[in-house]
Amino acid sequence: MPMCGIFTYYGQKNTAPNIVIEGLKKLEYRGYDSWGIAYKTDEGLEIYKETGKIGDVKIKDLDLEHSNIAIGHSRWATHGGVNKKNAHPHFTENKEIALVHNGIFENYLEIKKYLQKKGHTFKSDTDTEVIAHLIEEHAKTHNFEDSVKLATKEIEGRYAIVVLSKDEDTVIAARKGSPLIIGVGETKGEYFIASDIPAFLKHTKKVIYLDDNQMITIKDKTAKFFDMEKVEEVEKRIIEIDWDEESAEKGDFPHFMIKEITEQKDTLQRAINQTPETIEKIAKAIEKAKGTYFVGCGTAGKVGMVGEYLFAKIAKKHTNFTFGSEFSNYKNFLTKDTLMIAISQSGETADTLEAIEVAQEKGVKVAAIVNVESSTMARIADIVIPIKAGPEKAVASTKATTSQLAVLTLIAYACDGGVNIGKQQLINTAGQINDMLNPRYEKHIMDIAKKIKNVESMYIIGRGANYPIALEAAIKLQEVSYIHAEGFAGGELKHGPIALISENTPVIALVANDDTKREIISNATEIKARGGYIIGVAPEYNEIFDFWIKVPDVGVTSPIVNIIPIQILAYQLAVLRKNDPDKPRNLAKSVTVK
Ligand code: F6R
């Protein structure tokens, strides 16, 4: 059950395998346990798979034949260990069918048993291999295209698949709940199919968005689209996108993570730059709603938690936050007057999408604060608020987080009738971040990174809107440094966790110059009295700090400025500890499994 990246080439160029490998390298952030390609030759289907990261692969070292049709996959393993046999593409006994898959095939065991009875044998532990065999089974009595259609009808769960058949110069792809985007090449009859746009940006900016329950068949240099629910052919529009390739590349930066942290000089400004209509629409929806839920996962979830505080403080409105995976527990309270505000960088997170499904079944209106505007979430939401952060490639979210925080702040102000005050506040914050992000600042943080790089545990405390930021800080530190880090509400430590503090335990105190300041300082003082080493992230120095990281004094937007030094610290710890900050172990960028 992989989440993974998919890339496909169909066209006149006879270097399809190489084009696919290059494309997969740009999708590696989606999964990097193993990779593989399948391509058509005169003899049939060739399949090549490897474990490890595709980014390290040198095409010239591979002995690949010429072909003008190839599919490929970079995997994030869930079901079935990381090994060659579980790597994609999966194929049937005689290599009749080869297939790549991103998603969850929930009823695969049942179908596997049925196929085993029919004589199929399986080589891997994956659900994906079962789809290949299912298509082959249908192909006994149907043509290739109909066999894929019939197989998809039997798959319960989410999928994006691309299929090749040994006997035909045809590519078939279909999706339900997992992303697939078609790139239309510059020469007639050339197509790319990928999980994300940056993978084919080098080749084309013309895209077709495949919707859920749609299938594309590319045959005889022509693409045809089919709606599997309506059981009819559909016309699709080609859209010209304005992304540039450079924004999806590392440039002179050693890693995407530090590039994206640095980009926060500009991204905040872009996030604020919303059309008045968008802000008005969402503010009105909040005003009208009887119950507003922020929903997100991981970092985006923490942004939703900050949302609760921002709305309480700025808009004087009660809202609720729930993780995507927990949302269905509240379904008894949902009515057509409820509003859900889903927050997501990728717009493809399965838990959040599932929450939206639950909500929409109850007639709930859904607004999405998303970065990827072509994503499933953006396409199914009633109101879309794009954060315009540009491609975020590092697995650890940084620039998308602060942009989401900025958008939520703006909306909270709009709900209080003060959108311009909010804008001014955020413009000021963006300016201060611009001044803050400089090599001297990074060097100062490096001093503390060097000091704590070998600690076993560290803690982060915050109060008010900086409490969820303490939780987010812990995620950042955990995922790239692999140091045990935990965030707490400042006032909660004395109720238990303070027992964890011993001599020199690093504790980061996130301080804002507001009504929480006095108390967070006294919480930090309690920790210091027990031997803790206090790293103060604060606008002003305080004598209890053993190390001070200065942040601008920005009032209500303190969550935005307070998370940035922690992003830098997490990045530096990862580098010092020789971890790959862009591709941390066990993780993937787009979590399309539940
Ligand atoms: C952590 C991180 C994840 C994501 C989460 C949701 O740095 O990036 O916790 O925030 O997987 O992803 P999106 O925002 O794409 O829905």
Side-chain angles (χ1 to χ4, degrees), residues 142-178:
H142 295 83
N143 66 26
F144 180 35
E145 204 172 328
D146 288 342
S147 307
V148 178
K149 281 180 197 160
L150 288 168
T152 55
K153 272 195 187 157
E154 291 173 66
I155 302 174
E156 283 168 20
R158 298 176 186 281
Y159 62 83
I161 53 169
V162 187
V163 199
L164 284 185
S165 158
K166 171 173 145 282
D167 300 321
E168 302 194 36
D169 287 344
T170 305
V171 171
I172 301 181
R175 68 161 280 183
K176 186 179 153 205
S178 296

Side-chain angles (χ1 to χ4, degrees), residues 125-137:
D125 313 313
T126 66
D127 50 348
T128 305
E129 192 185 5
V130 181
I131 308 177
H133 284 265
L134 187 58
I135 295 171
E136 189 187 49
E137 184 59 29

Side-chain angles (χ1 to χ4, degrees), residues 29-30 196 198 243 260 295-301 303 342-349 352 368-378 385-404 588-591:
Y29 65 92
R30 300 178 66 88
D196 200 357
W243 296 25
E260 289 160 7
V295 176
C297 299
T299 291
V303 172
I343 304 165
S344 175
Q345 188 286 126
S346 65
E348 299 294 350
T349 302
T352 312
I369 298 179
V370 282
N371 192 28
V372 181
E373 291 175 51
S374 58
S375 63
T376 307
M377 218 171 285
I385 306 117
I387 61 165
K388 297 181 266 192
E392 190 180 69
K393 291 285 201 78
V395 163
S397 180
T398 54
K399 61 176 180 172
T401 313
T402 47
S403 291
Q404 289 160 347
K589 183 72 179 159
S590 194
V591 187

